[in-house]
Amino acid sequence: MYADRINALPPYLFATIDEAKAAQKAKGVDVIDLGVGDPDQPTPSHIVDSMCDAVKDPATHRYPSYTGMMEFREAVADWCKESRGLELDAATETLTLIGSKEGVAHIPLAFINPGDVALVPDPAYPVYKIGTQFAGGEAHIMPLLEENGFLPDLEAIPKDKLARAKLMFLNYPNNPTSATADVKYFEEVVEFAKENDIVVVHDNAYSEMVYDDYKAPSFLSVDGAMDVGMELYSMSKTYNMTGWRLAFAVGNKDLITGFGKAKSNIDSGAFDAVQRAGITALSSSQQCVADMNTMYQERRDVLLKGLRGIGLDAKAPKATFYMWVPIPDGYDSIGFSKLLLEEAGIVATPGVGFGEYGEGYVRFALTQSADRLEEAVARMEKLTI
């Protein structure tokens, strides 16, 4: 009944986790969910108020622009200049997205022909690989190994794959490993991309979720990056707008144009009222972002202390709201996640769900209060691991 591309899909990781979580709740278990990275805090009130006003305006009820409201894209360009030092032409070098997941999934349709290769990290957000496969391309896996700082080893990519490679996906700060990349590494990527005629897509969804005075660099800030790439930014994590579905792409104007052509044949653009709320988010005080980071840093420190206290080799992330933790000896990642859920009522994401190189780890999301994280640690302390 289904197309081969559907039959070939593995079960979507988070849907499977939701089913297991629901089964425990049905038994009356008080589940502490540290699985899916969905912020537990509400969208800041000034953004909500802006949306309410916009929804009441009949002008927002019509079809939106395929490429996004010019006012939103101008706000994007201004935000990128203020926060990243990027000089962008709002008309040609920005594009509104209905969330960055939509963007990631549709980018391969603009640049991948059947048989072409996209270089995809592993472990990683599953949509990089699935979007490539849906476009008829081949996803070549770039292992993210701890000994390499969870950065792809560009020299390890086989020459025959490079000859067919058209795209490379990167994501720093990284989901799920919380690793970061510095400007020097991005410079190496730009040189590599130019040598091999590859388009670089840098998914920068966690750009603003940073701690300990760390500032995540923009890939596009590197000399030559605008020649070869684009960068995706999400409103979801930065402004607690996951359900609103709003993001944006910036970068090389020819790449943005091609991406926009693909999108214009698939969707009808983001709701104008949501974009008006996005303008408010980008152009208002960013104190709400700073406050969010203070909260997540406190949570990180609570969970870090607790995990180390029970003997797990947890490291403090500089960015994202994830902790990527090696599992104890004697378990695989699914087995350890099952133990946490069934014996302690804690949802953690098994690393193998992000790819084969995620085996040996679990991911904890800092999407519960500090008190609940302390409760989670107390439950884990009672386990025999």
Side-chain angles (χ1 to χ4, degrees):
M1 156 186 244
Y2 299 121
D4 290 343
R5 69 178 64 87
I6 297 299
N7 290 327
L9 284 177
Y12 189 61
L13 170 65
F14 298 116
T16 303
I17 291 172
D18 282 344
E19 290 175 5
K21 180 175 66 176
Q24 290 302 108
K25 285 186 173 182
K27 297 176 184 178
V29 175
D30 173 26
V31 173
I32 301 176
D33 189 354
L34 307 179
V36 179
D38 190 357
D40 61 305
Q41 298 297 299
T43 307
S45 59
H46 65 289
I47 300 173
V48 174
D49 291 343
S50 177
M51 174 70 166
C52 290
D53 290 341
V55 168
K56 295 173 183 176
D57 182 353
T60 67
H61 300 176
R62 302 176 67 86
Y63 280 122
S65 161
Y66 290 116
T67 55
M69 294 175 65
M70 183 52 66
E71 296 92 334
F72 176 72
R73 293 158 66 198
E74 287 170 347
V76 163
D78 290 342
W79 182 89
C80 286
K81 182 176 182 179
E82 178 68 23
S83 68
R84 293 292 178 274
L86 303 178
E87 295 284 350
L88 298 169
D89 182 342
T92 62
E93 296 174 334
T94 71
L95 182 67
T96 304
L97 308 179
I98 311 174
S100 58
K101 181 178 183 179
E102 172 265 303
V104 168
H106 290 150
I107 282 172
L109 295 175
F111 303 104
I112 292 287
N113 288 316
D116 288 343
V117 168
L119 305 175
V120 174
D122 179 329
Y125 189 46
V127 186
Y128 306 139
K129 181 177 180 179
I130 291 169
T132 297
Q133 293 171 333
F134 275 11
E138 174 188 339
H140 174 73
I141 297 303
M142 302 184 294
L144 303 187
L145 306 177
E146 189 165 3
E147 56 262 37
N148 296 331
F150 297 110
L151 299 169
D153 181 356
L154 303 179
E155 298 302 317
I157 301 170
K159 298 298 182 184
D160 63 318
K161 300 297 182 182
L162 279 180
R164 294 189 291 125
K166 297 293 179 65
L167 275 179
M168 173 190 286
F169 285 103
L170 293 176
N171 163 226
Y172 294 98
N174 183 257
N175 172 27
T177 71
S178 72
T180 58
D182 59 18
V183 169
K184 183 177 182 300
Y185 184 77
F186 285 154
E187 289 173 344
E188 294 172 4
V189 170
V190 168
E191 182 179 358
F192 180 83
K194 288 188 173 184
E195 288 175 353
N196 294 284
D197 195 21
I198 293 171
V199 173
V200 178
V201 179
H202 182 231
D203 180 7
N204 207 359
Y206 298 91
S207 62
E208 307 309 295
M209 194 172 280
V210 291
Y211 318 114
D212 303 322
D213 298 321
Y214 175 72
K215 185 175 176 63
S218 164
F219 171 73
L220 293 179
S221 68
V222 174
D223 286 346
M226 282 289 289
D227 297 332
V228 298
M230 71 175 79
E231 197 159 45
L232 309 185
Y233 287 90
S234 171
M235 310 291 285
S236 293
K237 308 304 194 297
T238 302
Y239 301 105
N240 296 331
M241 294 174 68
T242 49
W244 300 55
R245 311 316 304 141
L246 185 64
F248 52 90
V250 296
N252 179 282
K253 65 180 182 179
D254 294 327
L255 301 181
I256 292 292
T257 296
F259 181 20
K261 286 181 179 179
K263 275 179 53 60
S264 67
N265 283 280
I266 295 168
D267 64 67
S268 295
F271 182 24
D272 278 353
V274 173
Q275 292 186 73
R276 287 196 189 175
I279 293 169
T280 298
L282 293 169
S283 60
S284 301
S285 166
Q286 301 299 291
Q287 186 60 45
C288 60
V289 179
D291 292 343
M292 174 192 70
N293 287 341
T294 298
M295 179 193 69
Y296 283 129
Q297 184 167 329
E298 177 189 1
R299 295 178 179 185
R300 178 202 67 175
D301 293 345
V302 166
L303 187 57
L304 180 68
K305 180 181 178 181
L307 293 176
R308 287 176 174 174
I310 62 174
L312 296 180
D313 184 22
K315 296 178 174 61
K318 294 191 294 185
T320 79
F321 60 175
Y322 303 120
M323 294 187 67
W324 186 243
V325 182
I327 60 177
D329 293 338
Y331 295 92
D332 60 18
S333 62
I334 291 178
F336 187 59
S337 296
K338 184 177 180 181
L339 172 74
L340 291 176
L341 180 57
E342 295 183 352
E343 301 298 327
I346 298 167
V347 178
T349 309
V352 73
F354 297 99
E356 65 174 296
Y357 291 95
E359 185 54 79
Y361 299 84
V362 291
R363 192 193 74 177
F364 295 100
L366 302 173
T367 51
Q368 297 286 338
S369 69
D371 288 345
R372 290 289 273 173
L373 292 173
E374 288 176 345
E375 168 66 17
V377 170
R379 294 183 189 183
M380 284 188 272
E381 288 174 342
K382 297 176 183 178
L383 298 176
T384 302
I385 58 177

